[in-house]
């Protein structure tokens, strides 16, 4: 779960530092990385809690193609002048880019458990675009994670997915983490 206030603070802070900001909205981390390439910025910030409990948040920061951590993130506080802000929806381009590269040979029935994480807004459509028949499970984005934590490394979080795969006779079950 990513606290929306952190998103707003990042936007304000980057603009106060004189940076032009393109806000691509609430997207999974891979789409943020795609956005930095697709929009030719070379940089991005993803506010994310990944698969942690809802009260945890963090940042994934890429500047000029380099992922920052530790002290490098702390050094981002220098202010200059107010930068620009624009918004872009890159979901169609993201899905099209992947669908152009990947098409499954035969129609597969796929159950996708997004664990109420942000990928739920994209993953079912993406799977359909590459030719899958999709059975969505917990794909409504809800940062309180009402069904289970979006942590596919914990076998307890896979119980519902396994049951649905068996019930619908799916070829494949996929579980995603929160971002």
């Amino acid at each position: 779960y990513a606290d929306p206030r952190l998103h707003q603070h990042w936007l304000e802070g980057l603009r106060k530092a004189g940076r032009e900001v393109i806000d691509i909205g609430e997207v999974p981390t891979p789409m943020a990385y795609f956005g930095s390439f697709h929009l030719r910025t070379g940089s991005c910030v993803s506010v994310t809690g990944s698969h942690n409990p809802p009260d945890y948040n963090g940042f994934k920061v890429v500047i000029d193609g380099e992922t920052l951590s530790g002290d490098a993130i702390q050094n981002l506080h220098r202010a200059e002048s107010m930068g620009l802000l624009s918004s872009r929806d890159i979901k169609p381009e993201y899905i099209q880019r992947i669908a152009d590269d990947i098409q499954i040979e035969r129609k597969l029935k796929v159950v996708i458990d997004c664990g109420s994480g942000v990928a739920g807004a994209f993953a079912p459509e993406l799977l359909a675009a590459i030719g899958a028949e999709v059975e969505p499970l917990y794909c409504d984005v809800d940062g309180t994670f009402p069904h289970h934590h979006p942590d596919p490394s914990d076998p307890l979080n896979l119980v519902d997915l396994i049951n649905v795969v068996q019930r619908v006779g799916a070829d494949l079950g996929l579980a995603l983490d929160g971002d």
Side-chain angles (χ1 to χ4, degrees), residues 63-77:
I63 296 182
D64 293 329
E66 297 288 326
T67 302
L68 302 186
S69 63
D71 289 339
I73 292 174
Q74 297 298 322
N75 292 332
L76 294 175
H77 67 280

Side-chain angles (χ1 to χ4, degrees), residues 11-152:
L11 291 177
E12 292 170 18
L14 288 169
R15 292 184 62 221
K16 285 180 181 176
R19 303 297 176 233
E20 178 179 352
V21 178
I22 303 170
D23 182 2
I24 61 171
E26 187 175 65
V27 301
T29 299
M31 193 181 300
Y33 295 151
F34 168 81
S36 73
F37 173 79
H38 180 70
L39 300 173
R40 297 182 183 357
T41 64
S43 301
C44 68
V45 176
S46 181
V47 180
T48 179
S50 189
H51 58 270
N52 293 308
D55 53 338
Y56 285 83
N57 286 280
F59 307 104
K60 293 181 180 177
V61 181
V62 176
I63 296 182
D64 293 329
E66 297 288 326
T67 302
L68 302 186
S69 63
D71 289 339
I73 292 174
Q74 297 298 322
N75 292 332
L76 294 175
H77 67 280
R78 292 171 297 225
E80 294 172 15
S81 61
M82 196 61 144
L84 301 174
L85 171 64
S86 62
S87 296
R88 284 281 304 270
D89 177 6
I90 63 167
K91 177 182 174 182
E93 291 101 330
Y94 178 74
I95 289 173
Q96 189 62 52
R97 175 71 170 96
I98 293 172
D100 286 347
D101 285 347
I102 301 171
Q103 284 293 308
I104 54 179
E105 203 168 292
R106 67 174 180 85
K107 190 123 183 134
L108 295 176
K109 183 179 252 184
V110 179
V111 179
I112 179 95
D113 179 352
C114 293
S116 303
V118 71
F122 305 90
E125 186 177 339
L126 174 61
L127 287 170
I130 65 170
E133 179 185 336
V134 182
E135 178 77 29
L137 180 64
Y138 309 138
C139 291
D140 291 330
V141 180
D142 182 343
T144 65
F145 310 122
H147 307 288
H148 61 75
H149 283 298
D151 180 0

Side-chain angles (χ1 to χ4, degrees), residues 151-170:
D151 180 0
S153 68
D154 182 345
L156 291 176
N157 295 333
L158 303 177
V159 171
D160 291 345
L161 176 63
I162 291 166
N163 289 335
V164 173
V165 166
Q166 291 172 342
R167 181 174 49 82
V168 302

